[in-house]
Amino acid sequence: MISFSDFKLDNGLHVIVHEDPTVQIAVMNILYDVGSRDERPDKTGFAHLFEHLMFGGSANIPSYDEPLQVVGGENNAFTNTDITNYYLTLPASNLETGFWLESDRMLSLSFDPHVLEVQRKVVIEEFKQRYLNQPYGDVWLKLRPLAYKSHPYQWATIGKEISHIENATMDDVKNFFFTHYVPGNAILVVAGNVTVPQVKALSEKWFGPIPAGKKPTRNLPAEPRQEKKRQEKITARVPSHALYKSYHMPGRFDAGFYAADLLSDILGRGHSSRLYNQLVKERGLFTSVSSFTMGTIDPGLIVINGRVKPGIEIEQAEAAVDEIVNEMVAYGATEEELAKTKNQALTTLEFEKVEIMNRAMNLAFAALSGDVGSVNRETEKIARVTLKDIQESAASILVQENSSVLYYCAEDRGL
């Protein structure tokens, strides 16, 4: 169990406190309810750009990192399709420094044109290095728009194309900030060697004066049910053929998520999974193969991906995957498989709780669902999944009409 207390400030900021007197540190995690799904189709990559801009100086503090380092703190952040998350760790005795820094950049960024230009170049270089100039780097730039035709999950967090970041103006930046970086669109978790009265006082002092602003209204286009298999073949200078096959599945807070997640684990988590056992160890068709869920808040994807062994045609490789998938649909999983994957999932959850920062992040994400207490019911939800649930999930999700397949072919093999 992760213990917590929570309250809201008058400006709408949701604050959660997790007391743990056994540690000497404090952590702060601020989750902003904005990700790449909230971007305009012609202005993508902004949520990720903001992750960088938030470290470039705020209204009254020219440098975020330096004051934090002086008091022995460290920080980082990440962006995905659904959220932007900032977190820091520092000695508990210096907690107020964290409140000072985080509240000032929630109040306003510096909007320094030089910072925008510097971070623009950093993001563009990241786009080139990670997505365009390395083998298989552009997979998600190809697979997402194949699988999604209406929902904004159709573009990656980095954005659709470099030009959207190249053409970002200061007005674009200000509009994005004052739309999404408002107190009512944020969840602050403070954890560690802290007390609820202490955090309440610091929250009122540093975040209380920030104007409430207006929490943005989210009205995203739903992805229509897929009725026909989609496929695309690309050729590039890569070491070997690679197969990426995705299926639409329930979202992170939907009832069927845990069954779908365990289904994916049974198929392709680790070297004892069905896919790996049969396609790598026994038949030697792949050099590696796995499956995973995207874990997105809105309906996401189960993705089966693997590197094909030299000499094997990619269509032959897909047919072998389909055999295993169809067997799962027809007969479901075994008791042994379900028990193993449940144990893996539950062990992962328990290990996560060891780190206090993970506890803080999990509390913030649970709050996003509208129920902070759900953080303590995840174990129960996993344990409740039955073999019948697994088979029903497979029958609903793992059908050809619901699949999108990217054949990523190596050009030096003559295809």
Side-chain angles (χ1 to χ4, degrees):
M1 291 281 289
I2 302 176
S3 61
F4 66 90
S5 299
D6 68 323
F7 56 91
K8 276 195 175 181
L9 300 185
D10 291 342
N11 58 16
L13 179 66
H14 188 181
V15 184
I16 303 169
V17 187
H18 168 57
E19 298 180 352
D20 185 350
T22 67
V23 299
Q24 296 303 309
I25 62 169
V27 303
M28 294 181 68
N29 188 93
I30 299 190
L31 183 155
Y32 288 92
D33 186 9
V34 55
S36 58
R37 66 174 174 163
D38 298 299
E39 298 163 349
R40 287 173 36 178
D42 60 338
K43 293 184 184 293
T44 63
F46 271 66
H48 176 246
L49 176 62
F50 256 87
E51 178 197 324
H52 289 260
L53 291 176
M54 286 284 278
F55 293 95
S58 52
N60 303 294
I61 304 170
S63 170
Y64 177 93
D65 287 325
E66 289 179 16
L68 188 62
Q69 291 168 355
V70 166
V71 297
E74 54 185 30
N75 69 88
N76 213 326
F78 64 84
T79 313
N80 60 32
T81 53
D82 300 314
I83 64 172
T84 309
N85 197 73
Y86 302 87
Y87 53 98
L88 63 85
T89 303
L90 76 178
S93 58
N94 293 325
L95 177 61
E96 190 163 8
T97 298
F99 272 86
W100 169 58
L101 289 168
E102 291 296 347
S103 63
D104 199 65
R105 62 179 181 175
M106 182 184 286
L107 173 67
S108 178
L109 295 185
S110 65
F111 298 117
D112 182 339
H114 174 69
V115 171
L116 175 58
E117 291 311 309
V118 169
Q119 296 307 324
R120 187 203 312 272
K121 290 176 182 176
V122 170
V123 172
I124 289 172
E125 187 59 28
E126 180 182 345
F127 198 123
K128 291 176 179 177
Q129 286 188 358
R130 292 183 56 192
Y131 294 85
L132 302 182
N133 297 335
Q134 66 170 306
Y136 313 104
D138 60 349
V139 162
W140 297 109
L141 303 181
K142 306 287 187 184
L143 185 59
R144 282 186 174 279
L146 187 64
Y148 290 99
K149 299 302 179 184
S150 298
H151 193 281
Y153 285 163
Q154 65 188 262
W155 57 81
T157 306
I158 195 73
K160 278 186 183 179
E161 53 189 67
I162 289 177
S163 64
H164 290 183
I165 298 302
E166 288 175 333
N167 298 328
T169 67
M170 185 59 76
D171 283 342
D172 291 333
V173 168
K174 289 181 178 179
N175 288 337
F176 193 90
F177 179 85
F178 289 114
T179 298
H180 298 288
Y181 280 73
V182 295
N185 209 41
I187 299 163
L188 167 64
V189 181
V190 185
N193 199 339
V194 301
T195 66
V196 173
Q198 174 194 22
V199 173
K200 276 187 176 180
L202 290 171
S203 297
E204 291 286 0
K205 176 181 178 180
W206 291 104
F207 286 96
I210 299 174
K214 182 181 178 182
K215 181 175 171 61
T217 301
R218 182 176 285 119
N219 186 22
L220 304 179
E223 185 66 24
R225 181 179 177 84
Q226 188 172 332
E227 303 289 351
K228 183 180 179 181
K229 178 182 178 181
R230 301 170 188 152
Q231 54 195 59
E232 181 180 344
K233 180 179 283 190
I234 60 173
T235 303
R237 288 191 172 186
V238 292
S240 63
H241 294 337
L243 177 72
Y244 298 85
K245 188 160 189 171
S246 68
Y247 302 85
H248 293 279
M249 61 165 282
R252 185 66 178 79
F253 301 137
D254 295 339
F257 175 80
Y258 290 96
D261 196 37
L262 290 172
L263 168 64
S264 171
D265 285 351
I266 291 168
L267 281 171
R269 179 176 178 172
H271 290 186
S272 62
S273 64
R274 282 199 185 187
L275 288 167
Y276 196 92
N277 259 330
Q278 295 185 41
L279 302 183
V280 177
K281 292 179 179 178
E282 295 176 11
R283 300 175 62 181
L285 299 176
F286 287 78
T287 57
S288 64
V289 66
S290 64
S291 68
F292 60 91
T293 60
M294 300 294 284
T296 50
I297 290 176
D298 292 332
L301 300 173
I302 288 178
V303 182
I304 296 173
N305 71 108
R307 302 287 171 85
V308 181
K309 196 170 183 178
I312 305 298
E313 299 297 331
I314 199 163
E315 291 83 3
Q316 178 187 356
E318 185 197 4
V321 168
D322 288 343
E323 287 177 28
I324 296 170
V325 166
N326 293 339
E327 186 178 75
M328 179 68 77
V329 172
Y331 304 108
T334 66
E335 290 186 9
E336 181 183 2
E337 286 175 321
L338 181 56
K340 180 192 71 174
T341 52
K342 280 185 178 181
N343 286 337
Q344 288 173 330
L346 294 172
T347 299
T348 298
L349 281 179
E350 289 306 310
F351 272 120
E352 281 182 355
K353 293 176 185 176
V354 172
E355 295 291 337
I356 194 162
M357 179 59 78
N358 289 337
R359 282 176 257 158
M361 288 185 183
N362 289 341
L363 282 164
F365 195 71
L368 198 61
S369 74
D371 179 10
V372 188
S374 66
V375 73
N376 291 318
R377 293 194 294 276
E378 197 164 9
T379 296
E380 177 189 341
K381 290 176 180 178
I382 292 170
R384 281 206 309 259
V385 175
T386 65
L387 287 172
K388 183 182 178 184
D389 295 331
I390 295 293
Q391 188 162 9
E392 289 178 350
S393 183
S396 171
I397 295 169
L398 300 177
V399 294
Q400 290 287 12
E401 295 79 13
N402 189 40
S403 69
S404 299
V405 191
L406 182 66
Y407 307 105
Y408 208 117
C409 299
E411 66 179 22
D412 61 346
R413 293 174 61 183
L415 295 179

